[in-house]
Every structure is written in C-alpha cells, then in structure tokens.
Amino acid sequence: MVQSTSPMVVVANRLPFVLKKNEATGLFERKQSAGGLVTAVAPVVVETGGLWVGWSGLHLEGKEVVIPEADPSDKSPTAGLKSEQVIPVNIESQLFDDYYNGQCNATFWPLFHSMPDRAVFNEDKWKAYRKVNEEFARLTVVAVKKLTERNPEQVPLVWLQDYHLLLAANSIRAACDEQGLRVKIAFFLHIPFPSWDIMRLFPWDDELLQGILGCDSIGFHIEDYCLNFIDCCQRRLGCRVDREQMLVEHNSFTVGVHPLPISIPYERFCQMAMAAPQVVKNNEKMQIILGVDRLDYTKGLTHRIKAFEHLLEKYPEHKENVTFLQIAVPSRTDVKEYQELKENLDQMIGRINGRFSTPNWSPIRYIYGCISHDQLAAFYRDSSVALVTPLRDGMNLVAKEYVACQTGDPGVLVLSPFAGAGNSMLEALQVNPFETNDFSDTIHRALTMPKDEKELRMRQLQRRERERDVEFWLQSFLKSVDCLKDDPAKKGTM
Ligand code: ADQ
C-alpha cells in the first residue's frame, strides 16, 4: 500500500460517500460512491489518520449534519474512515446552486474544455464561488488545526481536488499563518487546463491564476496542461517561469507544476472481467461496438453516432453483423443543455434504428443509466471495439478500464487524441471525432483488424496501464510533494 509521511487532508467538492436517510430509523447511513479517486486516496487518509473535507450532498439549511459510522458489513475503501475523520461542508442551497451549477458547471466546465461559446460569465456566480471556496478553506483550517494539536511535529498535507476549489489555497494559507499552523498545500485538476487564448476570456483570470498559485504544488494530468498553466502565469501575471523544470515564481514563492496522469485500479478491473458472467453474445457474426460515458457534451456522443451511421452507409457489409451499444450515465439532469443533449441523442438513435433495423436486428442499443462495475467489466470484455472519442477530456478512465478488461480475445480501442489518455495510449487507433468520414473508416478498420495486430496493440497497452495504475499515480503525487514514505529513490535503489 502507498504510504504518506504526512497526515493527509483531502478537500473535494463531495465527501467520499453519499448520505442516505434510513426512513425506518430516520438516521443517515453511508452509501458508497466507488470512484477511482476515492478507492485510491481514502486508504491513505485512513492510514495517516487524516481528514476528508467535502459537501455532504444535503442541504440542511443551517442544521448540523451528523456523519454516521460505517456499517460493520462495509468492505469499501472508506469503511476505515471514522466519522470524526469526516468534515462536512454545509452550504445553503441557493448559494450552492450559484457556485456549483452557476460557476463550476456553467463556466469552468465548458471553458476549461475549450468550448467558450457554451460558457456563461456572471459576476454574481463568481462571487458565490469565492464565498463557497472560503467556507471550504475555513473548514480545512479546522482540519489542519486538529491534526497539528494531535501531532505538532508533523506538517499536514492538504490536497485540494478539482475545479471546484481553485480559490481555496490562499485563504487556507493566510489563516494557517495567522494561527501559527504549518501546512503544505497541493492541488490536482481532473479536467484539462486550457491555453492562454481561452483562459483570457474569463474576466477574472488573474484572480483565478493567483488562487491556484497559492499552492506549493500543482498537478495536471499531462504535460500540455502544465505548459498551458505556466504560459498563463507568465502572460497574465508576469511570473518568472522555468518550462524545463516546470516551476513558476509568484510573490517570491516557487510553485512546482507536475504532470500526474491519473489511472484506475487495474487489477480490480482485470479480476472483475475474469469473474463476470457473459452479458452480451459476441458470437463470430455479431460484433459489439461499445461506448461508455457520462452524458456530457464534451464526450462527443452525437459525433460518434453520426460516424456509426456513416459506417452503415459506406460499409453495408456490417449491417446485421454489428451492434453499437452506448451506455450513458445521466449527468447534470437539471441543466437545460444536458436535457437538450439527451433529447437530441434520443432522436438520432430513434431515426437511425428506424432507418436500418431489420426484423432480427437493430443497429443501436442504448442504455441510459448507471450500471455496476461488475456489469461494466463484462460489457468491456465482451465488446470487439470501444469508442472513446471525446471532443475534449482531461484524461478519460473508460479507455483504461476497457484495456484492463481485455482478458480474453482482445478488442480494439479507438481513441480521440483530445483526451488526456490519447497522450500515452499510442497503440490505440487514434481518430479525430470531428472528421466523420475518417471516423467511420477507423471503426471499419477496428472491426476488420487481423487478430495478430489486435494482440500486439492490446498487450502493449495492457503492459503500460498495469504498471501505471492508480497506486502509481498516488505514489507519483506523494513523491512530487516529497511525502512518499519509503521512497526507494531516496534510498538510492532506483
Ligand atoms: P469524468 O468526466 O466523469 O471524470 P471519466 O474519466 O471517463 O470521466 O470517468 C467516468 C467514470 O464513470 C468511469 O470510471 C466509468 O466506468 C464510469 N461510468 C461511465 N458510464 C457508466 C455507467 N453507465 N454506469 C456506471 N459507471 C459508469 C473526470 C474528467 C476525466 C478524468 C476523471 C478522473 O472529466 O477526464 O479522467 O475525472 O480524473
């Protein structure tokens, strides 16, 4: 297990589990949310006696949230997290809506994905964002104080997660300085960091950049995002920068910038794929093409469906021999843009199925919902081709999960270069999702690829992803902040 020399305070928009009311007892219970981040990071928080600061998912309008202990039968990574290790952030619903829907999802999400036409700039939402970040910062300082009182020798490591908390670092540092508390602050962004040309559209870009620079260490998935950030700091704030060493000097502090590509619990997916019963019949005649995404406009779903339709027009031999299975998790369903995207997809799929279906075959199967990881692993394993073709994506974990689940005859991964994953998964078939004709040619190539070539590509992808799994990511992070316990490099053995 990866170990940290410092007690860790994870600060994220959400707690690592969902709270659900038991109607019979009237008490809240923990319901697991099994994301990769939680799986990897929660054990370090448990092991270092650290804390997790996050919104509970409830609006109690001033009332206290009582965090329940884990159920004795709980085997999840957060089971070891005692209630006193969890600090819930409680925010009044209107303010939360302005911060979360108004600023995070209506401004930062599209802007950071280089889709500025979709971004809304509104000073009131920005003010709400500032206020909520201050509240997160206030509770983080409570966490730092708690840990320091327990062990004054150790410097707590605060790890801020994602675009919800871009402004928290400076407030945390100022309050810690005032109270004489030592602290190390790191940040990790899960989405892309855009180029200066895009960032400069944000009216308060200087404040935002200064907010991020309040950290000691800043992590992005890939080098391109690091360089974009460094570029913005130089051009907007006039900071001295070193692109080779990835350093930014700000207010006489030097901030380290690190490419830290996130990954998945590889062995867990591999084992799930080996154990799961068959979910789709993938006989020699019927090949499954799979798409798995949150239903989001950045994921390029309509472009993908268009390319699939074109495939059936251009290569009619695939009719009745291929099924495209799209699994989409509902996301941000209360936002108009997402509702419109869903309607658009429903119509496209209906039209294409109407156009090509025969008595025994429909070209597209569509599941709109969340499915279990075991089931997902089986879908990955039993599909001949996976289409991971976002228009823009920080990393994309689906590409990695698909690779981990190829435990039998390998399939083919078709990957967009506009996902962070496209940066390293070079043996995938790369495709520009905006170019429909080339896209359908690439699907055709994947469907007709000789077995030897599939094996060669997939084994190489698997070797890399097995080595660089989520534990490797966590280890690299701790190393980047000089908190990795028993770092072999320090002993001179690497
Ligand atoms: P997301 O945008 O959510 O994450 P992604 O990395 O693809 O994107 O992760 C999606 C996760 O949801 C995967 O683990 C997948 O298995 C799961 N999932 C998808 N469809 C599902 C379904 N129908 N049922 C159940 N589970 C489903 C953000 C960034 C990404 C970055 C991650 C991690 O946008 O670029 O890779 O954070 O940093």
Side-chain angles (χ1 to χ4, degrees):
M1 193 184 114
V2 183
Q3 292 188 320
S4 165
T5 53
S6 298
M8 194 190 280
V9 182
V10 173
V11 191
N13 182 51
R14 295 297 294 260
L15 290 178
F17 43 73
V18 177
L19 292 180
K20 212 167 167 237
K21 201 171 204 166
N22 179 329
E23 291 307 333
T25 61
L27 298 172
F28 284 109
E29 290 172 356
R30 298 184 187 188
K31 211 175 137 251
Q32 296 317 313
S33 51
L37 174 79
V38 171
T39 309
V41 179
V44 183
V45 178
V46 172
E47 201 266 331
T48 59
L51 292 142
W52 193 298
V53 181
W55 178 54
S56 63
L58 305 166
H59 291 295
L60 299 179
E61 312 300 346
K63 276 189 253 149
E64 288 271 306
V65 189
V66 180
I67 301 293
E69 295 295 347
D71 193 87
S73 63
D74 190 346
K75 298 269 177 294
S76 73
T78 60
L81 210 59
K82 298 192 196 77
S83 62
E84 74 227 31
Q85 288 178 280
V86 177
I87 302 192
V89 181
N90 193 8
I91 292 157
E92 167 267 303
S93 55
Q94 181 59 51
L95 179 63
F96 189 85
D97 186 60
D98 286 348
Y99 143 83
Y100 185 68
N101 291 319
Q103 186 64 34
C104 296
N105 292 338
T107 312
F108 290 150
W109 182 261
L111 191 74
F112 281 47
H113 285 88
S114 299
M115 299 179 175
D117 288 357
R118 291 180 182 265
V120 180
F121 302 118
N122 177 320
E123 192 168 7
D124 289 337
K125 311 288 179 201
W126 179 233
K127 281 184 185 155
Y129 183 84
R130 271 194 207 126
K131 216 166 161 180
V132 171
N133 268 244
E134 294 220 332
E135 180 58 8
F136 272 88
R138 187 182 69 80
L139 291 166
T140 305
V141 177
V142 170
V144 172
K145 197 166 174 199
K146 218 168 156 178
L147 294 175
T148 309
E149 280 167 0
R150 204 173 60 206
N151 188 347
E153 300 304 313
Q154 285 182 316
V155 181
L157 170 64
V158 167
W159 196 10
L160 303 169
Q161 301 292 326
D162 226 357
Y163 61 103
H164 312 93
L165 297 167
L166 298 164
L167 293 186
N170 283 317
S171 311
I172 296 171
R173 194 175 302 283
C176 283
D177 283 352
E178 212 176 277
Q179 298 180 42
L181 300 166
R182 291 183 301 160
V183 66
K184 202 176 240 187
I185 310 175
F187 175 78
F188 186 77
L189 187 70
H190 290 262
I191 61 175
F193 196 89
S195 68
W196 161 236
D197 258 358
I198 299 284
M199 183 45 71
R200 68 195 301 197
L201 300 174
F202 184 60
W204 306 279
D205 56 348
D206 52 342
E207 193 181 339
L208 187 148
L209 293 167
Q210 276 160 355
I212 307 173
L213 284 169
C215 300
D216 299 286
S217 173
I218 302 161
F220 299 99
H221 288 300
I222 60 171
E223 202 174 292
D224 281 352
Y225 309 157
C226 295
L227 292 173
N228 283 345
F229 175 72
I230 292 173
D231 204 33
C232 287
C233 294
Q234 184 180 40
R235 299 180 77 160
R236 181 65 178 95
L237 303 177
C239 296
R240 276 202 328 147
V241 302
D242 180 339
R243 286 184 173 74
E244 286 286 302
Q245 303 287 323
M246 296 218 181
L247 298 171
V248 179
E249 197 183 273
H250 177 61
N251 289 346
S252 348
F253 275 106
T254 304
V255 179
V257 182
H258 305 275
L260 298 166
I262 202 167
S263 193
I264 56 160
Y266 185 96
E267 289 303 334
R268 195 157 65 87
F269 272 94
C270 208
Q271 279 161 16
M272 281 191 297
M274 287 195 283
Q278 201 169 19
V279 281
V280 281
K281 288 259 173 301
N282 198 16
N283 59 39
E284 265 172 43
K285 276 197 79 190
M286 184 59 70
Q287 298 200 76
I288 304 294
I289 301 174
L290 181 69
V292 175
D293 309 79
R294 256 187 329 100
L295 204 143
D296 194 288
Y297 52 80
T298 59
K299 303 289 182 184
L301 291 168
T302 54
H303 296 68
R304 192 182 298 165
I305 290 167
K306 232 183 258 167
F308 179 69
E309 180 176 27
H310 192 53
L311 173 90
L312 298 178
E313 287 164 352
K314 194 169 172 183
Y315 301 99
E317 64 268 34
H318 293 307
K319 286 184 196 166
E320 300 200 306
N321 292 321
V322 157
T323 301
F324 173 36
L325 169 60
Q326 177 64 52
I327 307 176
V329 205
S331 182
R332 304 172 195 170
T333 46
D334 47 347
V335 178
K336 194 164 148 259
E337 236 175 330
Y338 286 74
Q339 290 161 0
E340 282 169 3
L341 173 65
K342 179 170 182 300
E343 273 165 32
N344 199 358
L345 277 176
D346 288 350
Q347 274 178 17
M348 278 179 93
I349 292 168
R351 186 181 55 73
I352 294 168
N353 275 343
R355 181 176 168 199
F356 292 99
S357 287
T358 62
N360 300 317
W361 171 76
S362 292
I364 307 181
R365 262 182 74 193
Y366 176 42
I367 301 176
Y368 176 65
C370 202
I371 61 170
S372 74
H373 267 162
D374 292 302
Q375 249 184 335
L376 200 55
F379 278 119
Y380 286 140
R381 184 199 56 207
D382 296 342
S383 300
S384 306
V385 176
L387 301 181
V388 179
T389 54
L391 309 180
R392 194 93 181 132
D393 210 337
M395 175 54 70
N396 195 298
L397 299 178
V398 171
K400 299 183 176 223
E401 292 166 1
Y402 179 70
V403 164
C405 292
Q406 298 309 293
T407 50
D409 277 349
V412 180
L413 173 64
V414 174
L415 183 60
S416 159
F418 312 127
N423 211 47
S424 57
M425 300 180 84
L426 303 174
E427 300 79 5
L429 290 186
Q430 296 236 344
V431 74
N432 179 342
F434 294 95
E435 210 183 323
T436 308
N437 192 38
D438 183 51
F439 196 164
S440 41
D441 287 349
T442 308
I443 304 175
H444 175 69
R445 191 176 155 205
L447 287 167
T448 55
M449 185 179 281
K451 198 170 172 213
D452 286 358
E453 186 183 346
K454 286 195 221 177
E455 289 266 353
L456 202 68
R457 287 173 182 273
M458 193 47 74
R459 299 306 164 223
Q460 186 56 33
L461 284 166
Q462 289 182 324
R463 209 163 53 166
R464 188 184 303 109
E465 294 309 321
R466 174 174 273 126
E467 264 171 32
R468 300 185 194 174
D469 64 355
V470 72
E471 292 243 313
F472 180 87
W473 171 73
L474 187 59
Q475 203 168 329
S476 311
F477 162 69
L478 289 171
K479 208 167 172 174
S480 75
V481 287
D482 212 13
C483 289
L484 181 62
K485 201 184 241 179
D486 295 323
D487 180 355
K490 275 195 180 161
K491 290 182 187 156
T493 52
M494 238 169 78

